[in-house]
Amino acid sequence: MSQSRFWWLVVGILVVTALVYSPALSARYYLDDLSLYSDPAMMPGGAIRVLDLARTRTLTYASFLATFRGGGQSAALDHGVNLALFLLLIALAARLYRNLIGGRAALAAVAVAALHPIATEATIYVFARATLLAALFAIAAWSAWANKRYWLATLLAAFAMAAKEEAVVLPLFIIGFELIYRRTPVRSLKTLAAPLGIMAACGAFFAGSVIYAAQVTPDSGALVGLDGVTSLSYLQAQGRALWLYAKLLVLPTGLNFDHTVAVSSGFDLLAATGWLLIATAVAACFFWSSRWPILFLPIGALIFLAPTSTIAPLGDIAAERRMLLPLLCLAPVVGYFADRALPGRRLLNVIAVFAILLGGLTYQRASTWQDAEALWGDTVAKSPTKARPKLHLAGALAERGAITDPAREALLREAVLVEPRSAGAWGELGFFLLQRHRTAEATDAWQMAHDLAPDDPTLAVNLGVVLADAAQLDEAEVLFREVLQRSPCQFDARNNLLYVLRSRGDLEAVRALALPPEGCVLPAGQMEALSRAAGL
């Protein structure tokens, strides 16, 4: 296949990809997207906070800051940027694949990588831009290394790590690529020691920054403080998660924004069997790689999964967005063997058929993401034992007004039933009840939430508000002051404490409290609200 024809066909695949993802351009913000632009780094004068040692994914946050400063808070803009990054990623992958396995095989690989629906979460979920950027720079680094531009590859690898910590395994992947795919003798790696050493040092730095951030950031959802999930139990659960990923790759139905994967503290036979089968598959790939070097790439896919799917506990046991880089590793394996099994035009015909099938599934999934009620309804149906989807479906129903109140309350009560130790579920139930003027029930719900998560400032403030409304000012004041002692920049605690103090006529304390401590970066609207609460 000529180079010009190859690239025209790649452009065709990119156009189809843009079309099947087009519903995502009108999608909403979800989960971490919702708090993205309340981050202090997005506030005026807060850009320097992107470089905080306690913050990971510096490059990703810089991209969010750039889009925010350029176009404001716009879901359409953010989804458009994500889609553009994905299309650029596929174009870079096409160039790499063509150099590795030839034009015909590369074309099949590009179709799989671009149109497989398992990539939808990484592309559509705005907060997953970290995954997109890490994959983009990782593929660029791999391509540069394959072309023997080692120092450029090292620089690009550092950018990948700065986008997302999962890329810290790039040095290991590159070493495997040299030893297994290229069959480079171990002694010859000495000539590459300098770029590999610097790449490994970058990996160590970014891995260390993640560990530090997890330790100093409350409720980080990573590595420490996960309720009932140890490194061993998480590792065991990944035996289930990895085979879930394998199933979604082969049969991409049942895609789910919030998968349920069992975590057991005892011996889990199914998870252990999963790990045994994975080990067997790795051994087989290694054994047959002497004949087919391309079989290094399934091993490479597992290398890229290692940071999230081994011993470092994360809040989500399984997440489809983690499969983007592994998919980019596995796609050329599919292309390579398809090229050898299907001579002549048969390969192009098969590519066309699979592009239609995969593209249809991806379009359907992107359309589900387009509507919050549809996405969370789908997630509740597929993960009925998880509280989080129920909470978000209840929130999505709120937009249709009081007519959905019975359904919302049922979902919230189901959430606390399936996860009785979920402080967030009790808090959402309390908020709903307070809006319906069922104050006594709301107080009980928020008290339960606060008891489960006494260090959560939002839950403490909510409980304080309902206590203050019930004229229990002393108890409310204690809660507000406890929050401010831990988080001096917390606006809601400061604002509500001002009202409590004003109601007592303690004007001196009000004036002292109205001005946040130095170093707190609050939006102008919040500063004005504090002035009003203080009566200034």
Side-chain angles (χ1 to χ4, degrees), residues 6 9-18 20-21 86 89-91 93-95 97-98 101 103-119 249 252 327-328 330-336 338 347-360 362:
F6 170 78
L9 291 171
V10 168
V11 168
I13 292 173
L14 292 176
V15 170
V16 172
T17 303
V20 300
Y21 274 100
F86 182 65
L89 169 63
I90 296 302
R95 181 174 180 270
Y97 296 162
R98 190 174 190 278
I101 56 177
R104 279 169 43 88
L107 194 65
V110 170
V112 171
L115 296 170
H116 199 293
I118 203 170
L249 286 168
L327 173 65
L328 292 167
L330 295 171
V333 180
V334 175
Y336 178 88
L347 177 62
L348 295 180
N349 294 335
V350 169
I351 291 173
V353 170
F354 271 88
I356 293 170
L357 293 175
L358 291 177
T362 298

Side-chain angles (χ1 to χ4, degrees), residues 116 246-254:
H116 199 293
K247 177 264 176 188
L248 292 174
L249 286 168
V250 176
L251 187 65
T253 59

